Amino acid sequence: MSTSAISVRESEVLALLGEHLSNAEISSRLFISVRTVESHVSALLRKLDVADRRALARRAAELARAERPRPASALPTPLTAFVGRVRERAELAEAVKTRRQVTAVGPGGVGKTRLALAVAAEAAGDFADGVWFVDLAPVLDPGRVGAAVAAAVGVGEQPGRGIDEAVLAALADRQTLLVLDNCEQIRDGVAPFLERLLVACPRLRVLATSRARMMVPFEWVFPVPPLSFADGGDSEAVTLFMERAAAVGRPPDPAVRERIAALCERLDGMALAIELAAARWPTLGLDGLTAGLSDQLRILAGGPRADDRHRSVRAALDWSHDLLEPCDRALLRRISVFAMPFTADAATEVAAFPPLDPAAVADGLGRLAEQSLLTATPSAAGTRYQALETIRQYGTERLADAAELTDVRSRHLGRCLAGATALTEAEGTDRPARFDALAEDMRAALAWAAGRPEQRADAYRLALAMGELTFARNLLGEAQQRFEQAAALAGEGAGAGDGAAALREAAAVAGCRRLGDDMLRLHRAAAEAARRAGDTIGVGRDLSAAATVAYRFSSEFTRVPTADEVTAVLAEARRLSEGGDPAAEAALALAEAAVLADAFGAVQGAADNTAHETVELAERAVELAGRAGDPVAESAALDALSGALTWAGDSFGAAAAARRRIDVLRPVPGTPAATHERMDALAMAAGTALGVGDLPQARRWGRQLADQPLFAEVGHHAMSWLLIADAFAGRAEEVLAGSTEFLDAWRRSGRQRSFSLGPAAASVAMVHGLRGDHEARAHWLAVVDRAGTTSEHRHGYGAVFDALVLLHHGDPDAALVRLAPEPDEVWKWVSWIWLHWYVALRAEASVLAGHPDARNRIAAARRTVTGNPVAIAQLDRAEGLLDGDVTRQLAAAAAFVAAGCPYQAARTLLLAGPAHAEDGSAALARLGLTGG
């Protein structure tokens, strides 16, 4: 039978059978009951027409082999063929299969990179999850090793954790080979990163190249020898020379192979030295090469050659350099400042000053490529040139010798600054690619300029631009770092004001990263910078912002600020904000609504705040923010108002305030502050729409939230509101499909807690409960305990979801117990977005359980939920059940369909009696709510 008849869930079970897991293990892995696993196994036996589990396991392996995509890999393609090293390739290939971390060690120019690439290409088929190559040569900051690996393997940042942690989580269960090239210049960063990586990722293998070993626990060192020249004319070294010489002109006569062998021996078999010599074959011939290189090697003679074979590469470089025309020598040293492949136009900007003019630069690049001192690669933007790292280092030394280092570095800095400025103003789909092409050069230029007082102003401008660009590229950790770096470079006096502005940007990025502690630290640092600049109003505004975030985002702190701490900050902000500045007054009003009246329902907030007072303070903050003309501040104030209105029981007012936030933010450019605010606004709009029964709108907001680039790596946050909306609607297949991504992302995130993660997990548990899969529900309730908070689950969303399951299975008495407290007894947990669901379910449970006060509860609930189509239909159904009015029940079913809640429509048919039960059962089956 065709495997197309196998469902998605059956495919998952089949794959795990292929891993020889038991039914209990499959149950635990997929969060379904053992009974459900058994039914899927029976179906698979029938559909695949096999006799037993062993045959199913074999069939699973066959399907996996047939359908497995080629493993992802990203190995650069060398421009020339690899020559020789049969023994080394075999030994190194075996080592990477059996050892955790192998370091290919040898001097520059011995051929480590080419050997590693050859071995990785051959071994790719042995690594199910692919082979990845990371060139660390352009990386100057030891702290950016993890970021370089992340960029190579396609791992993005996750809010709430650093990029290193995201890489570790992404590779934790991958069977992957990671090739790290050119580790020596940032060994202090590579070694600790590798140690953490190898501990966290047991199936990962690492092949590193370096001039020195990494000194990490799992390391096995493989010394890369020079090319063999022991076999004379038939040696690997001679073969390499012959192939490279033929590639640039007339191939050498085979009769001279023995003389070439003697030349290769003088070059110690060093691959780069041999290639440089072969590039000169057409013009110098064998006699010229022998004479020239012999002089160079005699000058550097002395001591055992094996002790420092790098001398032969240096000799070849000196010799090759000395053969260049003066203009080409100048060009070689000047282009050594480029960290990334560059175009002729870029080289002209940096290198075209006496004795070079623009025409000489363009011509010289071609000549350097002909002499193997540069590689030339065609690209969409034109030919790009790049020097090997060894040649770049040599060129930098020559640049210093010529006293041009500062001049050329300054020109390079100017080009990077101009490029960064152009990118900040650019639009279009090619902007990310343009940034990537320039990023490492910008980082290198900034690293050089940041330490030089005379370059401080340009360094500040570049750091600020880099902050904007990396944020737009979704490199949030680096964006925060660059804004903080810009603040440090801004200086004192008037510059401190610029520093304060940069720190505010950094705080907003920290908000996007869900790092509450950093938000508070950076707002307070901005206040100090404003104080140094003499900006008293700015100090008050920043302190107000600090007080606000301490309460507004209290769940995102590792150490929640105490009420006393925040109150002291607020008092100082109040003292400094007197003076009539609209922005400062708006910021202070929002802080007062947050701290004094707990508009955001903070972790450290008081449980007895007066809802009426909260609404008044929030409305004042909205008015002042609007008067100040700051849409981001107005959105934050509307968030406070939305929260205050929920505490006051005005769910529709809360939903309207949340929708208004999206309208206010729509025209605002995507700055860090606006982006942070927009993410929160979409989440609140989705949640409050759910609260008033607007399920289609809740799903639309949830979909927009899930599609935000900022959430690309955090599926649990991205799809939380989608899961909840679909669960209330009863779309079981969508919920179960999304739950896998949610759970995987949540685990990768380090099992974070959040106001939305608990309800999302509870919604998945509810769907399993509706399907009768109580074991899977228990698994997900355990996730709820880790992802949410106990009070919210016990008294808020948990009561709602549990009651839905209990009513579905005909246990209204238990549902009534779960909903026993009056709403105002647990008001803070129920009042948020769950109030309408709580009171409607409580009224229905009262009817079905025969509670004597059922009719009064229906009437009281109606006063609360007026305008909520789902809750009203639920109360109409309850009243129809109480009065035995089937017509009214069927009308409620139609109302549920119109409100986008097919689950409750189907359940209404079941409750309406035997005449409609079959239709109700069929509707539940279509939703995927029948069986586990």
Side-chain angles (χ1 to χ4, degrees):
M1 185 172 190
S2 170
T3 58
S4 62
I6 297 175
S7 70
V8 173
R9 180 63 83 187
E10 287 168 347
S11 296
E12 293 172 342
V13 171
L14 181 62
L16 295 177
L17 286 170
E19 297 179 21
H20 305 287
L21 269 61
S22 68
N23 283 359
E25 290 170 324
I26 295 173
S27 165
S28 177
R29 184 79 67 88
L30 297 180
F31 287 89
I32 57 178
S33 68
V34 173
R35 175 175 58 82
T36 301
V37 176
E38 292 171 350
S39 68
H40 286 319
V41 170
S42 297
L44 288 166
L45 291 170
R46 183 182 70 258
K47 291 181 178 182
L48 295 177
D49 193 24
V50 295
D52 52 28
R53 289 174 66 94
R54 182 176 300 178
L56 276 179
R58 286 197 298 269
R59 187 62 181 274
E62 293 168 2
L63 290 172
R65 284 193 295 270
E67 298 176 3
R68 177 189 295 171
R70 296 185 60 166
S73 60
L75 294 175
T77 303
L79 299 177
T80 54
F82 186 78
V83 174
R85 296 197 183 277
V86 175
R87 180 186 60 81
E88 292 94 327
R89 288 165 72 178
E91 289 182 14
L92 199 52
E94 182 62 26
V96 298
K97 295 176 189 176
T98 58
R99 300 181 182 275
R100 298 297 314 282
Q101 198 254 305
V102 178
T103 304
V105 173
V110 76
K112 302 183 295 295
T113 298
R114 291 300 302 271
L115 176 60
L117 284 172
V119 169
E122 290 176 3
D126 297 319
F127 293 90
D129 296 306
V131 178
W132 300 95
F133 179 86
V134 186
D135 183 6
L136 294 174
V139 181
L140 302 178
D141 181 356
R144 288 196 50 77
V145 173
V149 174
V153 303
V155 173
E157 295 198 40
Q158 297 183 0
R161 68 192 329 190
I163 191 64
D164 288 11
E165 286 72 21
V167 171
L168 267 56
L171 299 178
D173 59 351
R174 300 287 184 90
Q175 186 185 3
T176 298
L177 175 63
L178 188 65
V179 182
L180 299 180
D181 193 33
N182 292 306
C183 296
E184 59 274 351
Q185 84 279 7
I186 49 168
R187 193 169 49 151
D188 291 345
V190 176
F193 177 79
L194 270 183
E195 189 166 350
R196 293 176 60 203
L197 184 71
L198 292 167
V199 169
C201 309
R203 303 175 70 200
L204 180 77
R205 299 287 185 270
V206 173
L207 172 58
T209 73
S210 177
R211 296 183 185 181
R213 61 179 301 173
M214 295 291 101
M215 304 297 288
V216 293
F218 296 102
E219 184 178 35
W220 184 76
V221 176
F222 181 85
V224 178
L227 289 166
S228 171
F229 45 80
D231 293 333
D234 295 325
S235 66
E236 294 176 338
V238 171
T239 301
L240 176 65
F241 184 97
M242 299 288 283
E243 289 202 9
R244 298 297 188 261
V248 295
R250 176 176 52 83
D253 189 322
V256 300
R257 291 181 72 104
E258 292 300 327
R259 293 181 61 195
I260 292 173
L263 180 66
C264 291
E265 183 175 1
R266 292 186 175 218
L267 293 172
D268 287 325
M270 298 295 282
L272 177 58
I274 291 171
E275 295 202 16
L276 291 173
R280 289 286 183 173
W281 169 264
T283 55
L284 296 180
L286 184 57
D287 291 339
L289 289 174
T290 301
L293 285 168
S294 295
D295 288 342
Q296 288 290 330
L297 291 173
R298 268 198 303 276
I299 292 171
L300 296 174
R305 285 187 305 184
D307 289 347
D308 187 5
R309 293 186 180 275
H310 187 66
R311 289 173 307 146
S312 57
V313 173
R314 179 55 184 258
L317 284 169
D318 284 338
W319 165 78
S320 189
H321 173 269
D322 291 345
L323 288 175
L324 297 174
E325 295 296 324
C327 285
D328 290 348
R329 294 179 196 172
L331 180 59
L332 180 65
R333 64 178 179 259
R334 291 174 185 178
I335 54 88
S336 68
V337 296
F338 286 102
M340 297 286 285
F342 57 90
T343 63
D345 287 343
T348 299
E349 287 185 50
V350 171
F353 61 96
L356 297 178
D357 58 27
V361 170
D363 292 343
L365 290 173
R367 288 191 294 272
L368 292 177
E370 290 171 1
Q371 305 307 323
S372 294
L373 292 166
L374 292 179
T375 58
T377 308
S379 76
T383 301
R384 288 190 173 271
Y385 299 89
Q386 187 174 28
L388 291 175
E389 181 62 15
T390 300
I391 295 174
R392 278 190 62 223
Q393 292 173 3
Y394 178 85
T396 302
E397 292 176 12
R398 288 288 185 168
L399 201 58
D401 292 342
E404 291 181 345
L405 185 60
T406 298
D407 193 4
V408 174
R409 285 283 189 195
S410 297
R411 287 171 173 269
H412 181 250
L413 171 64
R415 179 181 184 277
C416 289
L417 184 54
T421 302
L423 281 171
T424 59
E425 300 168 353
E427 296 179 357
T429 56
D430 65 337
R431 186 185 183 197
R434 290 169 59 194
F435 169 80
D436 292 345
L438 189 58
E440 289 299 346
D441 276 296
M442 289 191 291
R443 292 176 182 125
L446 181 55
W448 175 78
R452 286 160 176 78
E454 70 278 7
Q455 301 287 355
R456 193 180 187 108
D458 282 346
Y460 160 76
R461 292 169 56 209
L462 182 54
L464 198 63
M466 284 284 285
E468 294 181 33
L469 293 169
T470 51
F471 180 80
R473 196 68 177 93
N474 219 18
L475 301 173
L476 303 188
E478 184 176 0
Q480 182 179 328
Q481 175 195 352
R482 297 306 175 196
F483 282 126
E484 292 194 55
Q485 185 178 23
L489 290 165
E492 296 301 317
D498 293 332
L503 288 166
R504 291 173 197 130
E505 297 285 355
V509 178
C512 294
R513 300 177 70 200
R514 305 178 68 87
L515 299 178
D517 305 81
D518 276 6
M519 275 191 284
L520 181 61
R521 171 181 65 83
L522 290 163
H523 278 303
R524 298 188 76 166
E528 288 304 310
R531 195 189 306 275
R532 293 195 302 273
D535 180 9
T536 303
I537 296 297
V539 177
R541 190 171 65 249
D542 289 322
L543 290 177
S544 292
T548 298
V549 300
Y551 269 57
R552 187 183 180 195
F553 302 109
S554 58
S555 64
E556 297 175 8
F557 281 76
T558 55
R559 187 195 73 82
V560 179
T562 67
D564 289 344
E565 287 179 73
V566 183
T567 301
V569 173
L570 178 59
E572 177 71 359
R574 186 183 291 116
R575 184 180 68 80
L576 295 171
S577 297
E578 298 173 355
D581 179 79
E585 288 182 352
L588 178 62
L590 180 58
E592 289 177 337
V595 178
L596 301 181
D598 192 25
F600 299 109
V603 172
Q604 67 273 50
D608 57 352
N609 60 311
T610 304
H612 179 69
E613 176 191 0
T614 307
V615 172
E616 286 185 345
L617 288 172
E619 286 177 336
R620 180 171 180 270
V622 172
E623 179 188 352
L624 291 173
R627 194 181 303 167
D630 184 344
V632 173
E634 187 176 357
S635 172
L638 285 166
D639 189 28
L641 179 59
S642 182
L645 290 169
T646 64
W647 310 140
D650 185 358
S651 299
F652 287 99
R659 288 196 305 272
R660 186 174 156 196
R661 292 178 66 191
I662 294 176
D663 292 336
V664 165
L665 292 168
R666 187 168 286 116
V668 181
T671 63
T675 300
H676 183 213
E677 199 63 41
R678 188 171 284 114
M679 298 296 98
D680 187 74
L682 285 169
M684 292 302 96
T688 53
L690 278 169
V692 296
D694 191 349
L695 296 184
Q697 188 64 70
R699 196 174 199 283
R700 281 193 288 273
W701 294 138
R703 180 75 267 166
Q704 287 187 34
L705 184 68
D707 291 340
Q708 293 297 312
L710 207 64
F711 278 172
E713 300 294 325
V714 282
H716 52 311
H717 285 295
M719 64 193 319
S720 289
W721 292 108
L722 270 179
L723 288 174
I724 300 168
D726 282 340
F728 274 125
R731 297 185 180 91
E733 293 298 334
E734 287 90 336
V735 172
L736 296 180
S739 69
T740 302
E741 180 182 346
F742 175 94
L743 192 63
D744 287 345
W746 177 69
R747 286 170 171 166
R748 290 197 306 270
S749 76
R751 293 175 167 80
Q752 298 170 328
R753 290 186 188 273
S754 169
F755 72 92
S756 62
L757 296 181
S763 71
V764 179
M766 182 189 78
V767 167
H768 281 298
L770 296 178
R771 288 164 54 85
D773 195 340
H774 298 296
E775 290 184 45
R777 180 169 182 252
H779 280 299
W780 276 92
L781 289 176
V783 174
V784 174
D785 288 340
R786 296 285 301 275
T789 62
T790 302
S791 296
E792 287 177 299
H793 182 239
R794 176 61 190 160
H795 301 299
Y797 62 82
V800 170
F801 291 139
D802 289 350
L804 280 164
V805 173
L806 291 166
L807 289 173
H808 180 86
H809 290 292
D811 194 351
D813 293 315
L816 199 54
V817 171
R818 191 70 177 88
L819 300 166
E822 294 285 347
D824 57 2
E825 293 178 23
V826 287
W827 72 272
K828 194 168 187 177
W829 312 118
V830 167
S831 292
W832 181 41
I833 64 171
W834 315 110
L835 177 61
H836 289 192
W837 297 94
Y838 189 94
V839 298
L841 284 165
R842 191 166 184 265
E844 179 181 322
S846 298
V847 170
L848 294 173
H851 193 281
D853 201 31
R855 196 173 298 278
N856 289 335
R857 289 184 175 183
I858 291 174
R862 283 193 186 281
R863 290 192 293 272
T864 299
V865 306
T866 300
N868 182 325
V870 177
I872 288 173
Q874 193 167 6
L875 294 175
D876 286 345
R877 180 179 66 194
E879 202 158 28
L881 289 167
L882 188 62
D883 296 335
D885 186 344
V886 175
T887 300
R888 191 168 189 185
Q889 294 173 51
L890 295 179
F896 281 127
V897 171
C901 192
Y903 162 65
Q904 290 292 357
R907 184 165 173 271
T908 304
L909 295 175
L910 290 176
L911 291 170
H916 306 284
E918 185 175 344
D919 289 341
S921 296
L924 287 177
R926 287 193 296 273
L927 291 170
L929 290 173
T930 302

